[in-house]
Amino acid sequence: MDLGPYLLLASLEGAVAAAVLALTAVGLSLVFGVMRVVNVAHGEFFMLGAVLAWWFASLVAGHPAFGFVLALICAPLIAAVIAAAADYFVLKRLNYDPEATIVATIGLLYIIQQTVLMTYGPDARPVEAPFNARIYLPWFGYSTYKFFVIGAAIVLLIGVWIMLTKTRIGLVLRASQLDSEMALAFGIKVDQVYAMVFGLGAGLAAMAAVLVVPIQQAHYLMGGDPLLLSFIVVIIGGLGSIAGTVVAAILIGMSDGIISVFFSPTLAKIIATLLVAFVLIFRPTGLFGKRSI
Amino acid sequence: MPIIKKPSRLVTRRSALKGLAVGTGAVAAAGTLPGFVRYSQAQSSEPIRIGFQVHRTGIGAAYGRWYDRTTQAATKAINDAGGINGRPVEIIAEDDGTDPKRGAEVVEKFASQHNCDLAFGTLFSHVVFGSAPRAGELKIPYFVVSEGHHVASGKLNRYTLQPGITDVKSQVQAMAPFVSDNLGKKVTMIYPDFAFGHDHRDYFSAALEQQGGEVIAKIAIPPTESSFTKYFPKIPRDTEVIYHVMVGPAVLTFVKEMGEFYGPNKPEIFGFIDSLEAVDMASPGLEFLEGSYFWEGNPRYAQKDQSTYDKDYRAAVGVDDNGASVSDPKDVSTYSHMFGCWETLYTIKDGMEAAGYKGPEDRTKLIEAVESITDIPHSAEHPQGAKIFNGKTHQVFGHQYISKVKDGKLELAHTTSIEDTLYDDEVDYTTQPF
Amino acid sequence: MSAAAKSVWLHGGVITLLFALQFVLPAYHHGNLARIMVLAVYAMGYNMLFGYTGLLSLGHALFFAAGMYGLGLTIAFLDFAPSPALLSGIISALIVSAVVGFLALRTTGVAFMIVTLMFAQAGFLTILLFGEYTRGDEGFVIQQPERVLAGIDLTTPGNRYFAALILFSVCLIITARVVQTPFGKVLIAIRENEDRARMLGYDVLRHKLIAVIISGTMSGAAGAAYALLFGYVGASFAAVQYSIFPLLWVLLGGAGTTIGPLVGTIFMFYLIDLSSGLTSAYMLIAGVTLVLLTLFARQGLVGELRKRALPWLP
């Protein structure tokens, strides 16, 4: 294929990857920004979203869109409730000590993953897209659903942004992020805020998964890659900086598509991981962040 | 009944021995009907314990579930017909987590904790590589159903055998004549970027060149990849045939995205069914495969001229005419691989009966007896087809099937000869000491 | 009794016990214990950094794999005999840990964890990238004739056990000795309060770097020994899971205790071995254990013992 259409396709694919990644990574970034917790189980909430999407879709007969809409509403809610419970029963009791919470979330990762294995099983299962028309360009065909994924992610991200900057909830979140003791002194129930943020982070990951599952499939080991990529994005973007996270997601998502045009894909992945390591070593605030970790 | 060439010294030793069970073993080995031996005639009815290393968790789990069902069905069939040497067979299953370290530990557990007579099972080659050294050291026969080229390449040891399934080298090279004669000479290969994929790349490229064809592009995909569209532009425009083989949970995505990419103007497509093993052919997005070809180890859909052996085997394992579970039509089997468990267990039975196997002290006799097997006819015990076992390389060779997708089902289009699958020996395990 | 004398008695006792056990254990547990001792060396290496210096790494699989491949590849491609190959494995781990330490120690805390995780991930992918030599995920076997170390066939159970015991004892003695030296005391001081240690005039960075190197080299020795004793080299040992395992073992046994890594490795090994008979989701038990440990026994088994009953435990 000629380079032009090739790059067009790589950009389209990159945009889909970036959209899903941005949603997932914003969840991780939010949790880190407000709670200073590195949630290693974040990828499992993503996986939980996909598996729940399959479950909801299989409950509803008729047009696949019904099941999809149901999943888009309910799967993130369930993931959020589970995450909030984990915060209440585990993380809170560790006083959000950074190292202890990492270890605890590693434990959480295995608990979620293995519980899904016991109930849902080891299969990869497809979920039908709500619509699936293909458009045919002169060089290749492309699924219209993928455009929907990009659009939906943009809408959701704008929603998160409005919530953080224009609403009272956002104000409370930002207050807790800046100074949790002061927020407490002003009568903000920091406990509840933390549980909510942890739930919100997990919910965003789950929502990203619901969007992507008609393209991929739900599988109990699918959380690993989104976790690693989200880490990369959050660090490059600057920990806790939501805008930086989104920019980095676009950067990483697009470059993943385009780098693989020129390099062996395995080599591309090595370059990406080393890049993260060196960004952290030589610019610990990330490319766009203000605070180091 | 398989024909077994017995080493004569086995017979001499055996005929010198007294005891009813030993006598019946010799008779059975000499070619009497199977099922002749009954528990009541056995000297001991202690079960023969077979350690079954199974992928219950990890990326191999879909295969593991069907390996398990096939193994249970074969064990039931063997026991209903009187067991082995008059003794019932007991399967002790342990999960290897599709992990080589755990695999080795499981083999140890079979040998020294569960007191198994032998170890058996497993598909993924890295688990075989991790486990085989321990099997050799513990001197426990290790029968794998893995289709890897590891056994025949000489990298393992005398205790490791693969008598129930052909290896990737012979599968792949047998495809080259069909592909180049019927589909095209210019082939682009898409395969996972790890050892299994590299085997496909190397053996197919070599075999296709011999047929006068050429692999014009080789596209390796990292094992953790979950979306594939970005790789398809690397397929050169003058490609006549796309050859694809993928494994793992993302296989369906791969095939769907290939369909989206090409739409109706696709080149010929030839795939290994591994790309869709345990996946329903009726899944949304697979319509575009209509008219494409697949290698199958054993035809998933019951064919018009289905043998009675396949019919009985299918019924015993609980697989319907579409290759899915009789209790859940969405639960699709790994039909191209799991027959290996059934056939391996019957080969173990034949080997044990020929060797007059009584207990772990006869393990080397069992291996010698299996090494001396050559022709394995198409039979109820070997429903996939006739085979030739090479005792030197510990590897079996057999027919390969090529099916065409018609009306969303796989219809057998070509059966290769066994000769197409043969290659020069790379090892002679029989020269290695026990 | 002085602390040093108690230490000699304790560690001598553990080594004697392990020596004696080989005569009474049934075959299966005999084999398991040989494996556990090698893995415990890995855990001890991890403990040197995490338990005594207070640096939590999520990338130790890189060091384990450096030892494993340093040995395996030299045997496979340069026809090294086992002893130089073992040395090559240990040196590979030493070099890799020095480089990683030099770079990663510019960060602290969470950033250190993520940097080590990323290096390990890059190492894992590199093994896959060079699949032509490493055979990637499939790995390769080290055959029996290549595993005869100085005339001793390491494939027989007795010799294997003995080799594992020697490696374990050496590393246990090194650990026990290091933590009693002034150098070890500085490490502990860094763990307790890095700023204060710096203010007292210690070169914190140099101490940490040496700790990373000791830790990485010990982990690499375990990796090399694992390949030599069990005859298999494969990429799965470089995967992220194998960076998590030593953390798990050390936490369970007790971080910052000399015998904690051994106790934790034994405990976890049998927990998984026994529970895999009950459920296929046996890693669930590992997960629950981790959460319960962080909630209720942050010190681990030996650490809790030290806290409650035996304050002298090193």
Side-chain angles (χ1 to χ4, degrees):
Chain A
M1 190 182 284
D2 300 328
L3 194 62
Y6 193 168
L7 284 177
L8 173 65
L9 180 78
S11 314
L12 281 173
E13 281 296 288
V16 176
V20 176
L21 191 52
L23 265 188
T24 317
V26 162
L28 190 68
S29 177
L30 205 59
V31 168
F32 185 84
V34 176
M35 302 164 70
R36 318 299 291 171
V37 163
V38 176
N39 179 15
V40 184
H42 195 64
E44 303 313 306
F45 290 113
F46 180 91
M47 178 273 288
L48 211 51
V51 167
L52 288 168
W54 175 85
W55 188 66
F56 282 117
S58 67
L59 280 185
V60 182
H63 195 277
F66 296 122
F68 180 79
V69 170
L70 185 70
L72 200 56
I73 296 165
C74 298
L77 273 179
I78 295 178
V81 168
I82 292 173
D87 173 74
Y88 182 78
F89 287 108
V90 182
L91 301 184
K92 193 177 113 184
R93 280 154 216 261
L94 299 174
N95 296 320
Y96 302 102
D97 173 75
E99 296 192 347
T101 47
I102 284 204
V103 177
T105 52
I106 293 173
L108 206 56
L109 178 160
Y110 284 123
I111 293 175
I112 297 174
Q113 188 186 82
Q114 298 293 311
T115 309
V116 169
L117 171 67
M118 282 166 74
T119 48
Y120 169 85
D123 298 288
R125 298 175 208 245
V127 175
E128 204 163 337
F131 56 91
N132 200 12
R134 280 172 227 166
I135 51 166
Y136 292 109
L137 303 174
W139 316 278
F140 55 84
Y142 207 70
S143 157
T144 48
Y145 178 74
K146 287 188 175 176
F147 290 108
F148 170 75
V149 172
I150 301 172
I154 293 174
V155 170
L156 286 168
L157 284 169
I158 292 174
V160 171
W161 183 73
I162 290 175
M163 191 195 76
L164 284 179
T165 53
K166 310 277 174 193
T167 66
R168 209 189 113 68
I169 299 175
L171 189 69
V172 168
L173 285 189
R174 281 179 291 144
S176 313
Q177 172 172 6
L178 282 172
D179 190 336
S180 59
E181 277 173 32
M182 192 58 87
L184 203 60
F186 273 91
I188 292 173
K189 291 184 175 114
V190 173
D191 271 10
Q192 289 178 11
V193 172
Y194 277 15
M196 197 187 80
V197 167
F198 204 66
L200 183 63
L204 284 171
M207 201 174 279
V210 177
L211 286 178
V212 88
V213 78
I215 305 175
Q216 301 181 3
Q217 288 123 68
H219 185 251
Y220 86 106
L221 293 175
M222 73 191 291
D225 244 27
L227 175 70
L228 205 65
L229 281 170
S230 303
F231 257 130
I232 293 178
V233 161
V234 169
I235 290 159
I236 301 259
L239 280 158
S241 153
I242 301 288
T245 302
V246 173
V247 174
I250 295 169
L251 207 68
I252 295 279
M254 297 296 273
S255 63
D256 186 45
I258 294 169
I259 288 177
S260 60
V261 172
F262 301 104
F263 290 104
S264 123
T266 306
L267 186 61
K269 281 198 186 345
I270 295 177
I271 294 170
T273 37
L274 284 180
L275 188 70
V276 176
F278 284 106
V279 164
L280 265 182
I281 291 167
F282 295 106
R283 195 179 154 79
T285 55
L287 294 181
F288 308 98
K290 295 177 190 69
R291 286 187 301 180
S292 67
I293 43 175
Chain B
M1 184 67 198
I3 300 161
I4 296 175
K5 279 202 227 150
K6 305 184 300 297
S8 54
R9 65 190 166 82
L10 270 180
V11 180
T12 335
R13 191 192 299 160
R14 199 180 300 125
S15 47
L17 289 170
K18 304 267 183 288
L20 187 55
V22 181
T24 42
V27 173
T32 320
L33 288 168
F36 175 75
V37 185
R38 292 286 168 201
Y39 299 156
S40 56
Q41 295 169 309
Q43 196 173 36
S44 149
S45 59
E46 269 287 292
I48 286 176
R49 298 164 68 83
I50 295 183
F52 177 38
Q53 195 186 24
V54 54
H55 303 322
R56 285 246 161 81
T57 58
I59 54 168
Y63 283 96
R65 183 179 58 226
W66 281 100
Y67 267 40
D68 195 15
R69 288 177 188 166
T70 313
T71 299
Q72 300 300 344
T75 307
K76 183 173 181 299
I78 290 173
N79 283 340
D80 287 351
I84 298 177
N85 283 339
R87 292 163 60 187
V89 175
E90 188 187 344
I91 297 291
I92 293 111
E94 286 271 353
D95 178 26
D96 59 29
T98 326
D99 175 67
K101 170 175 166 283
R102 187 65 199 150
E105 290 166 11
V106 162
V107 167
E108 276 174 36
K109 207 169 179 179
F110 290 147
S112 36
Q113 175 82 336
H114 293 311
N115 296 318
C116 291
D117 292 275
L118 55 88
F120 150 84
T122 233
L123 175 89
F124 275 65
S125 338
H126 62 316
V127 181
V128 173
F129 268 106
S131 310
R134 292 301 290 138
E137 287 158 23
L138 294 161
K139 304 199 180 298
I140 180 168
Y142 182 42
F143 288 82
V144 299
V145 191
S146 151
E147 76 172 353
H149 180 54
H150 34 52
V151 175
S153 69
K155 289 179 185 157
L156 303 179
N157 53 55
R158 192 157 184 194
Y159 283 88
T160 310
L161 305 100
Q162 186 156 247
I165 191 165
T166 57
D167 75 345
V168 58
K169 185 171 181 176
S170 60
Q171 293 168 2
V172 166
Q173 74 172 38
M175 297 301 107
F178 179 85
V179 170
S180 98
D181 292 347
N182 300 290
L183 305 180
K185 301 277 186 202
K186 290 185 174 173
V187 179
T188 292
M189 296 186 74
I190 305 175
Y191 51 88
D193 196 7
F194 55 79
F196 173 71
H198 298 166
D199 282 348
H200 271 269
R201 175 193 66 197
D202 298 342
Y203 301 133
F204 186 76
S205 309
L208 189 67
E209 257 170 49
Q210 282 191 353
Q211 300 294 324
E214 187 195 356
V215 175
I216 55 173
K218 299 171 181 175
I219 300 171
I221 294 183
T224 54
E225 192 56 87
S226 51
S227 81
F228 304 90
T229 304
K230 57 180 178 262
Y231 301 107
F232 295 128
K234 295 193 175 200
I235 300 170
R237 206 177 272 169
D238 57 343
T239 296
E240 291 167 2
V241 189
I242 292 176
Y243 176 112
H244 66 90
V245 54
M246 293 298 291
V247 283
V251 289
L252 181 56
T253 313
F254 168 76
V255 182
K256 267 165 67 175
E257 295 196 339
M258 188 157 64
E260 270 159 21
F261 180 79
Y262 273 113
N265 316 312
K266 58 178 191 282
E268 293 282 0
I269 294 176
F270 178 85
F272 263 65
I273 197 70
D274 305 59
S275 295
L276 285 176
E277 198 66 320
V279 174
D280 192 348
M281 292 300 288
S283 299
L286 294 190
E287 310 80 18
F288 93 100
L289 285 172
E290 192 70 21
S292 76
Y293 291 86
F294 277 99
W295 164 87
E296 288 197 279
N298 199 15
R300 178 192 293 183
Y301 290 86
Q303 302 295 317
K304 280 189 228 75
D305 56 347
Q306 178 196 28
S307 70
T308 54
Y309 307 134
D310 184 62
K311 204 179 169 102
D312 295 346
Y313 159 75
R314 225 172 251 272
V317 182
V319 178
D320 66 14
D321 282 352
N322 295 324
S325 162
V326 285
S327 54
D328 177 4
K330 284 204 175 304
D331 185 359
V332 176
S333 68
T334 59
Y335 208 73
S336 279
H337 298 84
M338 66 200 212
F339 71 87
C341 291
W342 178 282
E343 298 205 2
T344 303
L345 281 171
Y346 273 102
T347 304
I348 291 169
K349 175 177 187 287
D350 293 335
M352 283 188 164
E353 288 175 356
Y357 185 89
K358 287 194 297 299
E361 68 280 5
D362 293 332
R363 280 171 178 166
T364 57
K365 280 201 259 172
L366 166 64
I367 289 172
E368 282 173 335
V370 175
E371 279 171 351
S372 63
I373 294 175
T374 50
D375 290 313
I376 303 174
H378 195 195
S379 57
E381 291 81 20
H382 300 276
Q384 186 262 355
K387 290 184 184 60
I388 296 174
F389 185 72
N390 183 336
K392 287 181 178 169
T393 63
H394 283 191
Q395 176 61 51
V396 82
F397 296 85
H399 298 287
Q400 309 297 330
Y401 301 101
I402 296 171
S403 303
K404 186 173 188 178
V405 184
K406 267 190 197 156
D407 306 325
K409 293 184 173 191
L410 288 157
E411 197 178 292
L412 187 61
H414 177 71
T415 304
T416 74
S417 68
I418 297 181
E419 286 67 35
D420 285 346
T421 70
L422 298 178
Y423 51 82
D424 295 338
D425 291 0
E426 294 169 25
V427 63
D428 184 356
Y429 285 116
T430 59
T431 59
Q432 293 181 7
F434 280 110
Chain C
M1 217 179 337
S2 73
K6 277 178 176 163
S7 163
V8 170
W9 277 104
L10 175 74
H11 301 118
V14 168
I15 293 168
T16 314
L17 179 68
L18 287 170
F19 179 80
L21 274 175
Q22 65 175 311
F23 301 108
V24 292
L25 282 180
Y28 177 60
H29 300 287
H30 182 272
N32 283 348
L33 199 54
R35 198 183 288 272
I36 287 169
M37 283 190 286
V38 176
L39 297 175
V41 170
Y42 183 23
M44 281 195 289
Y46 191 84
N47 188 34
M48 177 61 73
L49 196 63
F50 172 60
Y52 288 105
T53 323
L55 286 168
L56 199 162
S57 145
L58 290 178
H60 259 53
L62 180 63
F63 307 137
F64 189 82
M68 179 174 256
Y69 280 91
L71 172 126
L73 291 175
T74 48
I75 288 181
F77 293 99
L78 304 175
D79 290 325
F80 273 28
S83 357
L86 191 61
L87 197 65
S88 136
I90 293 171
I91 291 173
S92 310
L94 190 145
I95 294 170
V96 171
S97 54
V99 172
V100 169
F102 176 76
L103 291 167
L105 284 174
R106 300 171 65 109
T107 63
T108 51
V110 175
F112 181 80
M113 297 178 203
I114 296 171
V115 169
T116 47
L117 177 70
M118 292 299 155
F119 277 128
Q121 186 67 13
F124 169 66
L125 290 168
T126 306
I127 293 170
L128 296 187
L129 186 68
F130 291 97
E132 202 180 320
Y133 305 100
T134 62
R135 291 295 291 166
D137 63 310
E138 193 174 89
F140 56 92
V141 167
I142 303 177
Q143 294 290 358
Q144 185 269 337
E146 295 154 351
R147 289 161 59 198
V148 180
L149 183 77
I152 302 161
D153 183 354
L154 293 176
T155 61
T156 65
N159 292 346
R160 186 204 325 270
Y161 189 95
F162 208 67
L165 179 63
I166 288 174
L167 178 73
F168 174 81
S169 307
V170 168
C171 291
L172 183 66
I173 292 166
I174 290 175
T175 307
R177 186 76 200 102
V178 163
V179 300
Q180 291 199 334
T181 58
F183 171 78
K185 304 281 184 209
V186 177
L187 294 188
I188 296 171
I190 292 172
R191 179 188 71 193
E192 294 302 322
N193 191 331
E194 188 171 331
D195 290 332
R196 189 171 298 168
R198 191 174 289 121
M199 258 180 349
L200 289 171
Y202 292 110
D203 186 346
V204 170
L205 192 64
R206 195 177 66 90
H207 278 84
K208 281 202 219 165
L209 182 60
I210 296 174
V212 171
I213 294 174
I214 297 177
S215 167
T217 310
M218 216 180 258
S219 306
Y226 196 91
L228 195 59
L229 295 183
F230 299 97
Y232 173 70
V233 175
S236 63
F237 289 99
V240 66
Q241 217 178 351
Y242 282 84
S243 293
I244 306 284
F245 284 146
L247 171 67
L248 195 61
W249 298 328
V250 168
L251 276 172
L252 188 59
T257 63
T258 49
I259 56 168
L262 175 70
V263 173
T265 313
I266 293 177
F267 199 87
M268 201 67 216
F269 186 95
Y270 278 102
L271 197 62
I272 286 183
D273 196 55
L274 296 175
S275 58
S276 77
L278 304 173
T279 164
S280 57
Y282 47 84
M283 284 307 290
L284 178 66
I285 291 162
V288 171
T289 310
L290 268 179
V291 170
L292 292 179
L293 277 172
T294 47
L295 281 177
F296 303 113
R298 296 276 278 279
Q299 314 284 324
L301 296 171
V302 178
E304 292 293 323
L305 192 66
R306 172 160 69 185
K307 199 164 94 184
R308 286 157 210 255
L310 306 168
W312 56 269
L313 274 175

